[in-house]
PDB file of all heavy atoms in Angstrom:
ATOM      1  N   LYS A 129     -15.999   4.509  -9.972  1.00 97.00           N
ATOM      2  CA  LYS A 129     -14.801   4.108  -9.304  1.00 97.00           C
ATOM      3  C   LYS A 129     -13.924   5.335  -9.163  1.00 97.00           C
ATOM      4  O   LYS A 129     -14.029   6.252  -9.908  1.00 97.00           O
ATOM      5  CB  LYS A 129     -14.078   3.085 -10.118  1.00 97.00           C
ATOM      6  CG  LYS A 129     -14.704   1.624 -10.171  1.00 97.00           C
ATOM      7  CD  LYS A 129     -14.621   1.047  -8.679  1.00 97.00           C
ATOM      8  CE  LYS A 129     -15.167  -0.377  -8.647  1.00 97.00           C
ATOM      9  NZ  LYS A 129     -15.038  -1.151  -7.450  1.00 97.00           N
ATOM     10  N   ASP A 130     -13.081   5.376  -8.102  1.00 97.00           N
ATOM     11  CA  ASP A 130     -12.013   6.317  -8.014  1.00 97.00           C
ATOM     12  C   ASP A 130     -10.657   5.743  -8.045  1.00 97.00           C
ATOM     13  O   ASP A 130     -10.601   4.520  -7.573  1.00 97.00           O
ATOM     14  CB  ASP A 130     -12.247   7.079  -6.600  1.00 97.00           C
ATOM     15  CG  ASP A 130     -13.136   8.292  -6.706  1.00 97.00           C
ATOM     16  OD1 ASP A 130     -13.212   8.891  -7.826  1.00 97.00           O
ATOM     17  OD2 ASP A 130     -13.896   8.606  -5.697  1.00 97.00           O
ATOM     18  N   LEU A 131      -9.713   6.411  -8.464  1.00 98.00           N
ATOM     19  CA  LEU A 131      -8.298   5.911  -8.542  1.00 98.00           C
ATOM     20  C   LEU A 131      -7.435   6.688  -7.536  1.00 98.00           C
ATOM     21  O   LEU A 131      -7.490   7.972  -7.692  1.00 98.00           O
ATOM     22  CB  LEU A 131      -7.794   6.090  -9.900  1.00 98.00           C
ATOM     23  CG  LEU A 131      -6.303   5.454 -10.212  1.00 98.00           C
ATOM     24  CD1 LEU A 131      -6.414   3.958  -9.994  1.00 98.00           C
ATOM     25  CD2 LEU A 131      -5.895   5.861 -11.563  1.00 98.00           C
ATOM     26  N   MET A 132      -6.678   6.096  -6.755  1.00 97.00           N
ATOM     27  CA  MET A 132      -5.636   6.662  -5.971  1.00 97.00           C
ATOM     28  C   MET A 132      -4.338   6.235  -6.490  1.00 97.00           C
ATOM     29  O   MET A 132      -4.077   5.056  -6.907  1.00 97.00           O
ATOM     30  CB  MET A 132      -5.792   6.241  -4.524  1.00 97.00           C
ATOM     31  CG  MET A 132      -6.971   6.642  -3.773  1.00 97.00           C
ATOM     32  SD  MET A 132      -6.972   6.279  -2.055  1.00 97.00           S
ATOM     33  CE  MET A 132      -7.220   4.484  -2.129  1.00 97.00           C
ATOM     34  N   THR A 133      -3.303   7.047  -6.202  1.00 98.00           N
ATOM     35  CA  THR A 133      -1.792   6.670  -6.472  1.00 98.00           C
ATOM     36  C   THR A 133      -1.068   6.868  -5.150  1.00 98.00           C
ATOM     37  O   THR A 133      -1.130   7.856  -4.626  1.00 98.00           O
ATOM     38  CB  THR A 133      -1.267   7.577  -7.536  1.00 98.00           C
ATOM     39  OG1 THR A 133      -2.047   7.599  -8.816  1.00 98.00           O
ATOM     40  CG2 THR A 133       0.169   7.127  -7.946  1.00 98.00           C
ATOM     41  N   VAL A 134      -0.644   5.666  -4.716  1.00 98.00           N
ATOM     42  CA  VAL A 134       0.009   5.606  -3.433  1.00 98.00           C
ATOM     43  C   VAL A 134       1.517   5.450  -3.725  1.00 98.00           C
ATOM     44  O   VAL A 134       2.024   4.770  -4.476  1.00 98.00           O
ATOM     45  CB  VAL A 134      -0.424   4.358  -2.642  1.00 98.00           C
ATOM     46  CG1 VAL A 134       0.110   4.453  -1.229  1.00 98.00           C
ATOM     47  CG2 VAL A 134      -1.982   4.401  -2.570  1.00 98.00           C
ATOM     48  N   TYR A 135       2.281   6.155  -2.778  1.00 98.00           N
ATOM     49  CA  TYR A 135       3.784   6.129  -2.895  1.00 98.00           C
ATOM     50  C   TYR A 135       4.374   5.592  -1.567  1.00 98.00           C
ATOM     51  O   TYR A 135       3.937   5.880  -0.518  1.00 98.00           O
ATOM     52  CB  TYR A 135       4.221   7.569  -3.077  1.00 98.00           C
ATOM     53  CG  TYR A 135       3.930   8.165  -4.383  1.00 98.00           C
ATOM     54  CD1 TYR A 135       2.747   8.842  -4.520  1.00 98.00           C
ATOM     55  CD2 TYR A 135       4.688   7.958  -5.483  1.00 98.00           C
ATOM     56  CE1 TYR A 135       2.425   9.331  -5.680  1.00 98.00           C
ATOM     57  CE2 TYR A 135       4.387   8.580  -6.695  1.00 98.00           C
ATOM     58  CZ  TYR A 135       3.146   9.237  -6.834  1.00 98.00           C
ATOM     59  OH  TYR A 135       2.939   9.738  -8.128  1.00 98.00           O
ATOM     60  N   LEU A 136       5.325   4.638  -1.823  1.00 98.00           N
ATOM     61  CA  LEU A 136       5.987   3.988  -0.693  1.00 98.00           C
ATOM     62  C   LEU A 136       7.491   4.073  -1.038  1.00 98.00           C
ATOM     63  O   LEU A 136       8.017   4.154  -2.124  1.00 98.00           O
ATOM     64  CB  LEU A 136       5.569   2.682  -0.655  1.00 98.00           C
ATOM     65  CG  LEU A 136       4.013   2.281  -0.304  1.00 98.00           C
ATOM     66  CD1 LEU A 136       3.552   1.268  -1.359  1.00 98.00           C
ATOM     67  CD2 LEU A 136       3.701   1.933   1.065  1.00 98.00           C
ATOM     68  N   GLY A 137       8.305   3.730   0.022  1.00 97.00           N
ATOM     69  CA  GLY A 137       9.747   3.640  -0.182  1.00 97.00           C
ATOM     70  C   GLY A 137      10.452   4.870   0.094  1.00 97.00           C
ATOM     71  O   GLY A 137      10.381   5.417   1.226  1.00 97.00           O
ATOM     72  N   GLY A 138      11.209   5.378  -0.742  1.00 97.00           N
ATOM     73  CA  GLY A 138      12.043   6.502  -0.683  1.00 97.00           C
ATOM     74  C   GLY A 138      13.297   6.299   0.225  1.00 97.00           C
ATOM     75  O   GLY A 138      13.678   5.110   0.522  1.00 97.00           O
ATOM     76  N   ALA A 139      13.927   7.351   0.585  1.00 97.00           N
ATOM     77  CA  ALA A 139      15.170   7.218   1.321  1.00 97.00           C
ATOM     78  C   ALA A 139      15.031   6.746   2.714  1.00 97.00           C
ATOM     79  O   ALA A 139      15.947   6.167   3.379  1.00 97.00           O
ATOM     80  CB  ALA A 139      16.044   8.543   1.355  1.00 97.00           C
ATOM     81  N   THR A 140      13.825   6.932   3.228  1.00 96.00           N
ATOM     82  CA  THR A 140      13.531   6.544   4.573  1.00 96.00           C
ATOM     83  C   THR A 140      13.065   5.110   4.843  1.00 96.00           C
ATOM     84  O   THR A 140      12.889   4.564   5.811  1.00 96.00           O
ATOM     85  CB  THR A 140      12.408   7.477   5.314  1.00 96.00           C
ATOM     86  OG1 THR A 140      11.337   7.477   4.533  1.00 96.00           O
ATOM     87  CG2 THR A 140      13.025   8.919   5.424  1.00 96.00           C
ATOM     88  N   ASP A 141      12.652   4.450   3.621  1.00 97.00           N
ATOM     89  CA  ASP A 141      12.213   3.045   3.636  1.00 97.00           C
ATOM     90  C   ASP A 141      12.479   2.367   2.414  1.00 97.00           C
ATOM     91  O   ASP A 141      11.586   1.808   1.629  1.00 97.00           O
ATOM     92  CB  ASP A 141      10.604   3.019   3.838  1.00 97.00           C
ATOM     93  CG  ASP A 141      10.014   1.686   4.083  1.00 97.00           C
ATOM     94  OD1 ASP A 141      10.801   0.820   4.431  1.00 97.00           O
ATOM     95  OD2 ASP A 141       8.769   1.448   4.013  1.00 97.00           O
ATOM     96  N   PRO A 142      13.837   2.252   2.083  1.00 97.00           N
ATOM     97  CA  PRO A 142      14.196   1.692   0.681  1.00 97.00           C
ATOM     98  C   PRO A 142      13.955   0.209   0.628  1.00 97.00           C
ATOM     99  O   PRO A 142      13.850  -0.372  -0.528  1.00 97.00           O
ATOM    100  CB  PRO A 142      15.670   1.994   0.659  1.00 97.00           C
ATOM    101  CG  PRO A 142      16.194   2.209   2.103  1.00 97.00           C
ATOM    102  CD  PRO A 142      15.042   2.673   2.786  1.00 97.00           C
ATOM    103  N   GLU A 143      13.775  -0.523   1.698  1.00 97.00           N
ATOM    104  CA  GLU A 143      13.695  -2.010   1.698  1.00 97.00           C
ATOM    105  C   GLU A 143      12.355  -2.494   0.980  1.00 97.00           C
ATOM    106  O   GLU A 143      12.412  -3.477   0.425  1.00 97.00           O
ATOM    107  CB  GLU A 143      13.707  -2.470   3.057  1.00 97.00           C
ATOM    108  CG  GLU A 143      15.006  -2.335   3.886  1.00 97.00           C
ATOM    109  CD  GLU A 143      15.060  -0.960   4.501  1.00 97.00           C
ATOM    110  OE1 GLU A 143      14.043  -0.193   4.565  1.00 97.00           O
ATOM    111  OE2 GLU A 143      16.075  -0.525   5.014  1.00 97.00           O
ATOM    112  N   ILE A 144      11.319  -1.602   0.981  1.00 98.00           N
ATOM    113  CA  ILE A 144      10.044  -2.079   0.529  1.00 98.00           C
ATOM    114  C   ILE A 144      10.073  -2.286  -1.007  1.00 98.00           C
ATOM    115  O   ILE A 144       9.147  -3.005  -1.518  1.00 98.00           O
ATOM    116  CB  ILE A 144       8.947  -1.009   0.893  1.00 98.00           C
ATOM    117  CG1 ILE A 144       7.561  -1.700   0.898  1.00 98.00           C
ATOM    118  CG2 ILE A 144       8.949   0.170   0.088  1.00 98.00           C
ATOM    119  CD1 ILE A 144       6.456  -0.956   1.568  1.00 98.00           C
ATOM    120  N   ILE A 145      11.152  -1.745  -1.614  1.00 97.00           N
ATOM    121  CA  ILE A 145      11.261  -2.040  -3.192  1.00 97.00           C
ATOM    122  C   ILE A 145      11.350  -3.416  -3.480  1.00 97.00           C
ATOM    123  O   ILE A 145      11.056  -3.879  -4.648  1.00 97.00           O
ATOM    124  CB  ILE A 145      12.410  -1.187  -3.697  1.00 97.00           C
ATOM    125  CG1 ILE A 145      12.375  -1.075  -5.147  1.00 97.00           C
ATOM    126  CG2 ILE A 145      13.668  -1.709  -3.272  1.00 97.00           C
ATOM    127  CD1 ILE A 145      11.462  -0.086  -5.725  1.00 97.00           C
ATOM    128  N   GLN A 146      11.875  -4.197  -2.487  1.00 97.00           N
ATOM    129  CA  GLN A 146      12.168  -5.579  -2.706  1.00 97.00           C
ATOM    130  C   GLN A 146      10.871  -6.480  -2.244  1.00 97.00           C
ATOM    131  O   GLN A 146      10.923  -7.680  -2.590  1.00 97.00           O
ATOM    132  CB  GLN A 146      13.302  -6.098  -1.744  1.00 97.00           C
ATOM    133  CG  GLN A 146      14.528  -5.321  -1.823  1.00 97.00           C
ATOM    134  CD  GLN A 146      15.363  -5.459  -3.232  1.00 97.00           C
ATOM    135  OE1 GLN A 146      14.954  -6.382  -3.983  1.00 97.00           O
ATOM    136  NE2 GLN A 146      16.018  -4.455  -3.616  1.00 97.00           N
ATOM    137  N   TYR A 147       9.815  -5.906  -1.817  1.00 98.00           N
ATOM    138  CA  TYR A 147       8.634  -6.687  -1.457  1.00 98.00           C
ATOM    139  C   TYR A 147       7.951  -7.405  -2.642  1.00 98.00           C
ATOM    140  O   TYR A 147       7.858  -6.522  -3.659  1.00 98.00           O
ATOM    141  CB  TYR A 147       7.732  -5.801  -0.660  1.00 98.00           C
ATOM    142  CG  TYR A 147       8.085  -5.526   0.777  1.00 98.00           C
ATOM    143  CD1 TYR A 147       9.313  -5.550   1.291  1.00 98.00           C
ATOM    144  CD2 TYR A 147       7.041  -5.273   1.756  1.00 98.00           C
ATOM    145  CE1 TYR A 147       9.698  -5.453   2.614  1.00 98.00           C
ATOM    146  CE2 TYR A 147       7.363  -5.045   3.116  1.00 98.00           C
ATOM    147  CZ  TYR A 147       8.639  -5.100   3.552  1.00 98.00           C
ATOM    148  OH  TYR A 147       9.055  -5.008   4.845  1.00 98.00           O
ATOM    149  N   GLU A 148       7.408  -8.420  -2.430  1.00 97.00           N
ATOM    150  CA  GLU A 148       6.572  -9.009  -3.553  1.00 97.00           C
ATOM    151  C   GLU A 148       5.196  -8.190  -3.547  1.00 97.00           C
ATOM    152  O   GLU A 148       4.842  -7.579  -2.624  1.00 97.00           O
ATOM    153  CB  GLU A 148       6.361 -10.477  -3.257  1.00 97.00           C
ATOM    154  CG  GLU A 148       7.548 -11.333  -3.167  1.00 97.00           C
ATOM    155  CD  GLU A 148       8.114 -11.505  -4.618  1.00 97.00           C
ATOM    156  OE1 GLU A 148       7.425 -11.349  -5.609  1.00 97.00           O
ATOM    157  OE2 GLU A 148       9.268 -11.823  -4.614  1.00 97.00           O
ATOM    158  N   ASP A 149       4.536  -8.352  -4.650  1.00 97.00           N
ATOM    159  CA  ASP A 149       3.193  -7.685  -4.826  1.00 97.00           C
ATOM    160  C   ASP A 149       2.319  -7.922  -3.585  1.00 97.00           C
ATOM    161  O   ASP A 149       1.611  -6.997  -3.222  1.00 97.00           O
ATOM    162  CB  ASP A 149       2.456  -8.037  -6.103  1.00 97.00           C
ATOM    163  CG  ASP A 149       3.231  -7.528  -7.370  1.00 97.00           C
ATOM    164  OD1 ASP A 149       4.239  -6.811  -7.160  1.00 97.00           O
ATOM    165  OD2 ASP A 149       2.844  -7.780  -8.571  1.00 97.00           O
ATOM    166  N   GLU A 150       2.216  -9.229  -3.227  1.00 97.00           N
ATOM    167  CA  GLU A 150       1.306  -9.658  -2.210  1.00 97.00           C
ATOM    168  C   GLU A 150       1.545  -8.814  -0.836  1.00 97.00           C
ATOM    169  O   GLU A 150       0.701  -8.429  -0.159  1.00 97.00           O
ATOM    170  CB  GLU A 150       1.313 -11.097  -1.934  1.00 97.00           C
ATOM    171  CG  GLU A 150       0.772 -11.930  -3.039  1.00 97.00           C
ATOM    172  CD  GLU A 150       1.701 -12.000  -4.231  1.00 97.00           C
ATOM    173  OE1 GLU A 150       2.995 -11.746  -4.075  1.00 97.00           O
ATOM    174  OE2 GLU A 150       1.431 -12.594  -5.330  1.00 97.00           O
ATOM    175  N   ALA A 151       2.884  -8.669  -0.582  1.00 98.00           N
ATOM    176  CA  ALA A 151       3.279  -8.027   0.751  1.00 98.00           C
ATOM    177  C   ALA A 151       2.934  -6.566   0.647  1.00 98.00           C
ATOM    178  O   ALA A 151       2.477  -5.982   1.642  1.00 98.00           O
ATOM    179  CB  ALA A 151       4.808  -8.248   0.878  1.00 98.00           C
ATOM    180  N   ILE A 152       3.196  -5.899  -0.533  1.00 98.00           N
ATOM    181  CA  ILE A 152       2.736  -4.432  -0.764  1.00 98.00           C
ATOM    182  C   ILE A 152       1.192  -4.344  -0.629  1.00 98.00           C
ATOM    183  O   ILE A 152       0.876  -3.451   0.049  1.00 98.00           O
ATOM    184  CB  ILE A 152       3.304  -4.031  -2.142  1.00 98.00           C
ATOM    185  CG1 ILE A 152       4.791  -3.934  -2.198  1.00 98.00           C
ATOM    186  CG2 ILE A 152       2.658  -2.680  -2.422  1.00 98.00           C
ATOM    187  CD1 ILE A 152       5.448  -3.590  -3.443  1.00 98.00           C
ATOM    188  N   ALA A 153       0.494  -5.206  -1.231  1.00 97.00           N
ATOM    189  CA  ALA A 153      -1.042  -5.162  -1.109  1.00 97.00           C
ATOM    190  C   ALA A 153      -1.409  -5.287   0.266  1.00 97.00           C
ATOM    191  O   ALA A 153      -2.270  -4.569   0.718  1.00 97.00           O
ATOM    192  CB  ALA A 153      -1.568  -6.173  -1.915  1.00 97.00           C
ATOM    193  N   SER A 154      -0.730  -6.154   1.036  1.00 97.00           N
ATOM    194  CA  SER A 154      -1.078  -6.307   2.502  1.00 97.00           C
ATOM    195  C   SER A 154      -0.842  -5.039   3.279  1.00 97.00           C
ATOM    196  O   SER A 154      -1.667  -4.545   4.069  1.00 97.00           O
ATOM    197  CB  SER A 154      -0.238  -7.464   3.130  1.00 97.00           C
ATOM    198  OG  SER A 154      -0.502  -7.675   4.566  1.00 97.00           O
ATOM    199  N   VAL A 155       0.248  -4.309   2.978  1.00 97.00           N
ATOM    200  CA  VAL A 155       0.642  -3.051   3.751  1.00 97.00           C
ATOM    201  C   VAL A 155      -0.424  -2.042   3.324  1.00 97.00           C
ATOM    202  O   VAL A 155      -0.937  -1.283   4.264  1.00 97.00           O
ATOM    203  CB  VAL A 155       2.034  -2.500   3.191  1.00 97.00           C
ATOM    204  CG1 VAL A 155       2.270  -1.121   3.723  1.00 97.00           C
ATOM    205  CG2 VAL A 155       3.146  -3.405   3.815  1.00 97.00           C
ATOM    206  N   LEU A 156      -0.900  -1.941   2.081  1.00 97.00           N
ATOM    207  CA  LEU A 156      -1.837  -0.998   1.631  1.00 97.00           C
ATOM    208  C   LEU A 156      -3.304  -1.273   2.294  1.00 97.00           C
ATOM    209  O   LEU A 156      -3.920  -0.335   2.686  1.00 97.00           O
ATOM    210  CB  LEU A 156      -1.819  -0.819   0.178  1.00 97.00           C
ATOM    211  CG  LEU A 156      -0.676  -0.390  -0.553  1.00 97.00           C
ATOM    212  CD1 LEU A 156      -0.838  -0.185  -1.919  1.00 97.00           C
ATOM    213  CD2 LEU A 156      -0.105   0.976   0.180  1.00 97.00           C
ATOM    214  N   GLU A 157      -3.698  -2.492   2.220  1.00 97.00           N
ATOM    215  CA  GLU A 157      -4.879  -2.849   2.839  1.00 97.00           C
ATOM    216  C   GLU A 157      -5.110  -2.450   4.309  1.00 97.00           C
ATOM    217  O   GLU A 157      -6.047  -1.808   4.679  1.00 97.00           O
ATOM    218  CB  GLU A 157      -5.092  -4.433   2.612  1.00 97.00           C
ATOM    219  CG  GLU A 157      -5.422  -4.795   1.254  1.00 97.00           C
ATOM    220  CD  GLU A 157      -5.489  -6.310   1.085  1.00 97.00           C
ATOM    221  OE1 GLU A 157      -5.292  -7.046   2.015  1.00 97.00           O
ATOM    222  OE2 GLU A 157      -5.744  -6.807  -0.086  1.00 97.00           O
ATOM    223  N   ARG A 158      -4.035  -2.713   5.076  1.00 97.00           N
ATOM    224  CA  ARG A 158      -3.979  -2.378   6.447  1.00 97.00           C
ATOM    225  C   ARG A 158      -3.985  -0.840   6.703  1.00 97.00           C
ATOM    226  O   ARG A 158      -4.717  -0.312   7.290  1.00 97.00           O
ATOM    227  CB  ARG A 158      -2.772  -2.930   7.171  1.00 97.00           C
ATOM    228  CG  ARG A 158      -2.688  -2.719   8.557  1.00 97.00           C
ATOM    229  CD  ARG A 158      -1.437  -3.339   9.263  1.00 97.00           C
ATOM    230  NE  ARG A 158      -0.203  -2.766   8.838  1.00 97.00           N
ATOM    231  CZ  ARG A 158       0.609  -3.474   7.947  1.00 97.00           C
ATOM    232  NH1 ARG A 158       0.296  -4.583   7.475  1.00 97.00           N
ATOM    233  NH2 ARG A 158       1.693  -2.856   7.580  1.00 97.00           N
ATOM    234  N   GLU A 159      -3.119  -0.125   5.910  1.00 97.00           N
ATOM    235  CA  GLU A 159      -2.799   1.317   6.239  1.00 97.00           C
ATOM    236  C   GLU A 159      -3.895   2.058   5.621  1.00 97.00           C
ATOM    237  O   GLU A 159      -4.478   3.210   6.312  1.00 97.00           O
ATOM    238  CB  GLU A 159      -1.543   1.695   5.795  1.00 97.00           C
ATOM    239  CG  GLU A 159      -0.283   1.085   6.628  1.00 97.00           C
ATOM    240  CD  GLU A 159       1.034   1.720   6.281  1.00 97.00           C
ATOM    241  OE1 GLU A 159       1.112   2.766   5.632  1.00 97.00           O
ATOM    242  OE2 GLU A 159       2.036   1.278   7.076  1.00 97.00           O
ATOM    243  N   LEU A 160      -4.364   1.806   4.425  1.00 97.00           N
ATOM    244  CA  LEU A 160      -5.537   2.665   3.867  1.00 97.00           C
ATOM    245  C   LEU A 160      -6.710   2.394   4.679  1.00 97.00           C
ATOM    246  O   LEU A 160      -7.514   3.261   4.808  1.00 97.00           O
ATOM    247  CB  LEU A 160      -5.665   2.239   2.340  1.00 97.00           C
ATOM    248  CG  LEU A 160      -4.638   2.657   1.458  1.00 97.00           C
ATOM    249  CD1 LEU A 160      -4.866   2.191   0.089  1.00 97.00           C
ATOM    250  CD2 LEU A 160      -4.399   4.200   1.431  1.00 97.00           C
ATOM    251  N   GLY A 161      -6.898   1.138   5.218  1.00 96.00           N
ATOM    252  CA  GLY A 161      -8.081   0.908   6.107  1.00 96.00           C
ATOM    253  C   GLY A 161      -7.960   1.751   7.371  1.00 96.00           C
ATOM    254  O   GLY A 161      -9.092   2.309   7.791  1.00 96.00           O
ATOM    255  N   GLU A 162      -6.753   1.859   7.940  1.00 96.00           N
ATOM    256  CA  GLU A 162      -6.652   2.707   9.142  1.00 96.00           C
ATOM    257  C   GLU A 162      -6.779   4.179   9.010  1.00 96.00           C
ATOM    258  O   GLU A 162      -7.401   4.923   9.719  1.00 96.00           O
ATOM    259  CB  GLU A 162      -5.343   2.407   9.771  1.00 96.00           C
ATOM    260  CG  GLU A 162      -5.117   1.025  10.304  1.00 96.00           C
ATOM    261  CD  GLU A 162      -3.744   0.662  10.572  1.00 96.00           C
ATOM    262  OE1 GLU A 162      -2.628   1.404  10.334  1.00 96.00           O
ATOM    263  OE2 GLU A 162      -3.508  -0.421  11.225  1.00 96.00           O
ATOM    264  N   ILE A 163      -6.325   4.542   7.785  1.00 97.00           N
ATOM    265  CA  ILE A 163      -6.305   6.097   7.446  1.00 97.00           C
ATOM    266  C   ILE A 163      -7.616   6.586   6.899  1.00 97.00           C
ATOM    267  O   ILE A 163      -8.164   7.600   7.210  1.00 97.00           O
ATOM    268  CB  ILE A 163      -5.202   6.451   6.409  1.00 97.00           C
ATOM    269  CG1 ILE A 163      -3.717   6.153   7.149  1.00 97.00           C
ATOM    270  CG2 ILE A 163      -5.177   7.955   6.005  1.00 97.00           C
ATOM    271  CD1 ILE A 163      -2.703   6.246   6.197  1.00 97.00           C
ATOM    272  N   LEU A 164      -8.242   5.766   5.894  1.00 96.00           N
ATOM    273  CA  LEU A 164      -9.419   6.183   5.222  1.00 96.00           C
ATOM    274  C   LEU A 164     -10.742   5.467   5.655  1.00 96.00           C
ATOM    275  O   LEU A 164     -11.728   5.759   5.175  1.00 96.00           O
ATOM    276  CB  LEU A 164      -9.240   6.138   3.659  1.00 96.00           C
ATOM    277  CG  LEU A 164      -8.129   6.953   3.080  1.00 96.00           C
ATOM    278  CD1 LEU A 164      -7.850   6.546   1.632  1.00 96.00           C
ATOM    279  CD2 LEU A 164      -8.549   8.387   3.147  1.00 96.00           C
ATOM    280  N   GLY A 165     -10.347   4.393   6.374  1.00 94.00           N
ATOM    281  CA  GLY A 165     -11.653   3.433   6.830  1.00 94.00           C
ATOM    282  C   GLY A 165     -12.189   2.712   5.680  1.00 94.00           C
ATOM    283  O   GLY A 165     -13.339   2.266   5.683  1.00 94.00           O
ATOM    284  N   ILE A 166     -11.311   2.505   4.590  1.00 92.00           N
ATOM    285  CA  ILE A 166     -11.677   1.724   3.400  1.00 92.00           C
ATOM    286  C   ILE A 166     -11.504   0.251   3.571  1.00 92.00           C
ATOM    287  O   ILE A 166     -10.322  -0.185   4.003  1.00 92.00           O
ATOM    288  CB  ILE A 166     -10.954   2.159   2.261  1.00 92.00           C
ATOM    289  CG1 ILE A 166     -11.330   3.606   1.931  1.00 92.00           C
ATOM    290  CG2 ILE A 166     -11.307   1.317   0.995  1.00 92.00           C
ATOM    291  CD1 ILE A 166     -10.691   4.303   0.731  1.00 92.00           C
ATOM    292  N   GLN A 167     -12.407  -0.640   3.433  1.00 85.00           N
ATOM    293  CA  GLN A 167     -12.258  -2.140   3.603  1.00 85.00           C
ATOM    294  C   GLN A 167     -11.917  -2.818   2.354  1.00 85.00           C
ATOM    295  O   GLN A 167     -11.187  -3.804   2.373  1.00 85.00           O
ATOM    296  CB  GLN A 167     -13.442  -2.664   4.318  1.00 85.00           C
ATOM    297  CG  GLN A 167     -13.792  -2.133   5.620  1.00 85.00           C
ATOM    298  CD  GLN A 167     -12.799  -2.171   6.661  1.00 85.00           C
ATOM    299  OE1 GLN A 167     -11.915  -3.160   6.728  1.00 85.00           O
ATOM    300  NE2 GLN A 167     -12.430  -0.975   7.349  1.00 85.00           N
ATOM    301  N   ASN A 168     -12.453  -2.360   1.189  1.00 90.00           N
ATOM    302  CA  ASN A 168     -12.270  -3.092  -0.092  1.00 90.00           C
ATOM    303  C   ASN A 168     -11.484  -2.161  -0.997  1.00 90.00           C
ATOM    304  O   ASN A 168     -11.941  -1.150  -1.471  1.00 90.00           O
ATOM    305  CB  ASN A 168     -13.631  -3.490  -0.659  1.00 90.00           C
ATOM    306  CG  ASN A 168     -14.421  -4.429   0.248  1.00 90.00           C
ATOM    307  OD1 ASN A 168     -13.871  -5.421   0.587  1.00 90.00           O
ATOM    308  ND2 ASN A 168     -15.616  -4.041   0.410  1.00 90.00           N
ATOM    309  N   ILE A 169     -10.209  -2.709  -1.376  1.00 95.00           N
ATOM    310  CA  ILE A 169      -9.390  -1.944  -2.379  1.00 95.00           C
ATOM    311  C   ILE A 169      -9.100  -2.952  -3.494  1.00 95.00           C
ATOM    312  O   ILE A 169      -8.989  -4.110  -3.178  1.00 95.00           O
ATOM    313  CB  ILE A 169      -8.243  -1.282  -1.698  1.00 95.00           C
ATOM    314  CG1 ILE A 169      -7.185  -2.347  -1.282  1.00 95.00           C
ATOM    315  CG2 ILE A 169      -8.503  -0.334  -0.621  1.00 95.00           C
ATOM    316  CD1 ILE A 169      -5.953  -1.919  -0.880  1.00 95.00           C
ATOM    317  N   GLU A 170      -8.750  -2.308  -4.643  1.00 97.00           N
ATOM    318  CA  GLU A 170      -8.279  -3.211  -5.780  1.00 97.00           C
ATOM    319  C   GLU A 170      -6.915  -2.623  -6.355  1.00 97.00           C
ATOM    320  O   GLU A 170      -6.827  -1.484  -6.553  1.00 97.00           O
ATOM    321  CB  GLU A 170      -9.296  -3.050  -6.888  1.00 97.00           C
ATOM    322  CG  GLU A 170      -8.963  -3.814  -8.175  1.00 97.00           C
ATOM    323  CD  GLU A 170      -9.748  -3.478  -9.360  1.00 97.00           C
ATOM    324  OE1 GLU A 170     -10.825  -2.763  -9.220  1.00 97.00           O
ATOM    325  OE2 GLU A 170      -9.293  -3.814 -10.509  1.00 97.00           O
TER     326      GLU A 170
END
């Protein structure tokens, strides 16, 4: 297995701190799929 650490939010997107875990996971599944071509993430 490999481990990635992903950063979201910051001063340009502060609203995402309020997202539920499921919504954050959905963002990552979509964007990591688009950027890295990965379909299965944990």
